Structures are given as C-alpha cells and as structure tokens.
Amino acid sequence: MHDIQELKQLLTQPRRIVIVTHARPDGDAVGSSLGLYHYLMVRGHDVRVVVPNAYAEFYRWLPGEETILDHQKSGAAAALFLDDAEFIFCLDFNVPARLETLAPKLLKAPATRVLIDHHRDPDHFTRYVWHDTAASSTAELVYTLLGEMDELSWLNRDAATCLYVGMMTDTGSFRYSNTTPQTLRVAAALLEFGLDVESIYERIFHTFSEDRLRFFGHCLVNKMQVFPEHRTGLITVTQQELDTFRVRTGDTEGLVNYPLSISGIVFALLLIDRGNLRKMSFRSKGDFNVDQFAREHFSGGGHRNASGGVSTESLEAVQQKFLALLPQTAGLSEAALPPTSS
Ligand code: 5GP
Ligand code: MN
C-alpha cells in the first residue's frame, strides 16, 4: 500500500511515539501494543504505551508491561507523552470513545495518528490506516504491517511473545472462526522465536484466584438464565456480587463463553453492573451477528461473534430491554446454528 511505504519512510529517523489502546485492555490490546513497542524500540524510537485504565493481573508478566503508563493513575504524565509525541499509534479500537477519558487527549494532541485495528466500521481519525476485519487480532495485523514494510527481520523474542498472546487470546486459543490459515502462519512464524506455548497459556488461563473460580461457579449455578426457545443464555452480575467475590479487573473475562457451551445455545450476554455504567459482553456462534445487535440496541459494537455495549440504565432495565428484544430478533433460529459434522 502506497501510504504504508510513506509511513515507513517517516519512521526511518528516530521518533517520539505513543501507542494507545482501548479501556480495560484485553490480551490483544496489551499484546499488540507491546509487540509493536518492542519492534519500535529495536528500531531506535522513543516509545511509550499508554492505556486508559487497568488491565488484568494475568497480563502483568508480558515483556515490557512494567513500562506501560495507566492514564487513570498517571493522568498528567500520560497527557505529557501524548502532547509531545510525533506519532500516536491507535491499536485494537477504531472509535476514539473507546479510550474513555483519554479520548479528548488523543484528539487534541498534534501527533500524526496511525490506526491498526480489526473491528468493524472504523471512524476516520487517523492519517494512516492498517485495518482488516478478517484479521484474527490486532496482533496479527501488527505482524502483517511489519511484513508490508519489509521490517520483519527486526522482530525479537519479546515482540513475538506479546504478539502471540494477542493472537491466542482473541482467537480463544486458535479455535474461534476468526482463526484463518494466515493466523496460523503468523503464529507459526512467532513460534520460530522459541516461545514456550504451554507456559504462555498457563500464565494467562490457569492463574485463577480461588475467589475468581468460585465467582464463576456462583454465576453458573445461581445467575445463568437459559432461554432455549431463543437459543440464548444470560448472566447478570450485580455490584454487590463483584464485592462479595472480590472480583478484580479481568476476572470476568471468559465467563460470557460458558452459556455457548450448552448444546443449541448460539447467543450469550454477560451483563455487569459497574458503578455508573452497565457493561455488556455479547458472544455468538455461527451467523448471528452480535456486532450489529450491540450497535443497534446497546451503543456498542465489535465483531460478528464478539461485541460489547454500555448503558446508563439500571441492570433490571437493561435486562428487560434485552429479553424483550429476543423474540423479535431475526437470526436466533435453527438456521443460525453453525454446521455440525454429525
Ligand atoms: P469484551 O466483551 O471482551 O469486552 O469485548 C468483545 C469485543 O467487543 C472486543 O473486540 C471489544 O473491543 C468490543 N467491545 C467491547 N465493548 C465495546 C463497546 O462498548 N463499544 C464497542 N464499539 N466495542 C466494544
Ligand atoms: Mn482485538
């Protein structure tokens, strides 16, 4: 792509660069940002990753994560880096609002902005765009961008580890439908750096606290509602439950997938009361498009099979609205089931 060669040219001299990613960063947000960070550092740039707020404990071992600046904790320092940057890379989000209170600072900073993202319908707020909804993850896109720039020889093991984490977490460990031949080719290239896949998996998925596992148990036994006629499962979580089980940032990750493991269920919602906001995580299997559903009804979006949304209404009101939508939502029918081999 012509523009990307122009960007490559601009990066031939050392630059002050900030990398930003979305609020409550997930594995792809942190992994893709740090993967790009390591590459840019190797190339002699002055680089900072700035996140809007905290990410989960189980990402706190990624190489370089100790350098990440949390805007919620260190607002003034984060603002200085943004104002001073020549380039700001925007990773794993495509509407400024997903930066929450960091968004106005991104938009007023004079830097040249670059988008690397795989969510649908990007806003136009960056000079350069590397965007593909068919990519499994932003981490995969960082790799393909470096390929396009003919810069892959500068990747190191730390970068490879971070990018692998991004790809692994966004693909459900390479099993969701976003896993393509290209995804596995990129993962294979990353493994050539001698990554220990078992240890990476263990550090992310098998480091539950006892509280967290009991919280999952509580949600499955006491909170999950199943509506077989609409092929839907719903879990709601109150602020009080978050307190009782001492639920920390990231502890709810993965919970929304459980209803989908019930035969015949193709649509799941995890609805959480988080202070002044109700946060929704939608997941689906097969054709049912939760990006569209979240966009139309809950001020959100994401991907066909994984999206999120927010509301300022009460937990009860959001739940009622959701349940009322089910009977009138096309696509929650037999036809929406993914093909089975039997
Ligand atoms: P999660 O449920 O894991 O928070 O998010 C699932 C997917 O939806 C992710 O790709 C995430 O970036 C996207 N997403 C989550 N919350 C929101 C939101 O409030 N707005 C938009 N546009 N996307 C979201
Ligand atoms: Mn992602």
Side-chain angles (χ1 to χ4, degrees):
M1 209 196 270
H2 182 66
D3 275 7
I4 294 304
Q5 297 317 320
E6 186 181 291
L7 176 63
K8 177 181 175 172
Q9 187 58 36
L10 290 170
L11 295 176
T12 51
Q13 52 173 292
R15 300 288 193 176
R16 292 183 306 281
I17 298 176
V18 167
I19 300 168
V20 293
T21 190
H22 61 78
R24 289 171 298 283
D26 59 10
D28 188 31
V30 181
S32 63
S33 296
L34 286 173
L36 180 64
Y37 165 88
H38 287 294
Y39 156 76
L40 290 169
M41 290 292 282
V42 167
R43 291 302 259 143
H45 301 287
D46 179 355
V47 196
R48 263 295 160 164
V49 177
V50 176
V51 295
N53 46 31
Y55 49 88
E57 196 76 31
F58 44 83
Y59 299 126
R60 294 198 180 276
W61 60 270
L62 267 73
E65 75 81 24
E66 67 286 349
T67 67
I68 293 180
L69 209 54
D70 177 342
H71 173 250
Q72 200 167 48
K73 281 199 206 133
S74 320
L80 278 179
F81 274 107
L82 263 84
D83 281 339
D84 194 41
E86 295 167 274
F87 289 85
I88 300 178
F89 282 77
C90 300
L91 267 62
D92 202 39
F93 71 99
N94 63 29
V95 287
R98 295 225 57 222
L99 294 188
E100 299 185 355
T101 54
L102 186 57
K105 294 181 182 169
L106 169 74
L107 295 176
K108 91 173 209 327
T112 300
R113 294 189 284 261
V114 184
L115 181 79
I116 309 177
D117 179 60
H118 67 136
H119 296 87
R120 291 184 179 207
D121 288 342
D123 269 9
H124 303 288
F125 63 102
T126 62
R127 165 69 183 82
Y128 298 97
V129 176
W130 188 251
H131 178 263
D132 184 1
T133 55
S136 68
S137 53
T138 300
E140 182 179 321
L141 284 175
V142 168
Y143 187 93
T144 57
L145 174 63
L146 297 184
E148 182 76 17
M149 290 179 160
D150 203 14
E151 288 287 284
L152 285 173
S153 60
W154 297 94
L155 275 186
N156 60 18
R157 191 167 189 265
D158 285 346
T161 301
C162 297
L163 294 179
Y164 182 83
V165 165
M167 297 182 73
M168 181 185 77
T169 51
D170 257 26
T171 56
S173 306
F174 305 101
R175 71 187 203 283
Y176 297 153
S177 59
N178 61 356
T179 306
T180 65
Q182 169 72 356
T183 308
L184 295 181
R185 274 191 289 269
V186 173
L190 296 175
L191 291 192
E192 297 287 357
F193 286 89
L195 309 188
D196 180 345
V197 289
E198 183 178 7
S199 134
I200 292 174
Y201 183 92
E202 287 289 315
R203 283 165 181 234
I204 289 177
F205 293 116
H206 288 174
T207 48
F208 274 53
S209 62
E210 184 181 335
D211 277 334
R212 184 181 177 199
L213 193 59
R214 291 194 188 283
F215 168 69
F216 273 39
H218 165 72
C219 289
L220 296 181
V221 174
N222 303 315
K223 302 305 303 278
M224 184 173 66
Q225 302 172 62
V226 181
F227 306 95
E229 67 279 28
H230 304 306
R231 302 176 176 276
T232 298
L234 163 67
I235 298 173
T236 61
V237 178
T238 64
Q239 185 70 57
Q240 195 193 336
E241 285 164 323
L242 293 178
D243 296 340
T244 305
F245 288 90
R246 294 181 283 269
V247 174
R248 292 171 306 174
T249 310
D251 277 357
T252 56
E253 252 184 74
L255 181 57
V256 62
N257 292 310
Y258 281 86
L260 292 181
S261 59
I262 301 172
S263 174
I265 298 301
V266 298
F267 183 28
L269 164 60
L270 173 65
L271 168 58
I272 305 181
D273 196 358
R274 286 200 188 277
N276 52 353
L277 277 185
R278 259 50 61 202
K279 187 76 189 90
M280 282 152 268
S281 284
F282 299 100
R283 296 291 186 274
S284 68
K285 284 197 289 198
D287 292 338
F288 184 64
N289 185 338
V290 294
D291 167 63
Q292 192 186 338
F293 186 86
R295 252 170 228 279
E296 280 178 10
H297 306 294
F298 295 102
S299 321
H303 312 279
R304 187 188 62 180
N305 297 123
S307 69
V310 285
S311 171
T312 51
E313 292 179 53
S314 72
L315 198 70
E316 292 69 28
V318 176
Q319 172 171 322
Q320 284 318 314
K321 177 175 172 182
F322 175 74
L323 294 179
L325 284 167
L326 293 182
Q328 36 173 304
T329 298
L332 290 177
S333 63
E334 287 287 342
L337 274 176
T340 55
S341 52
S342 60

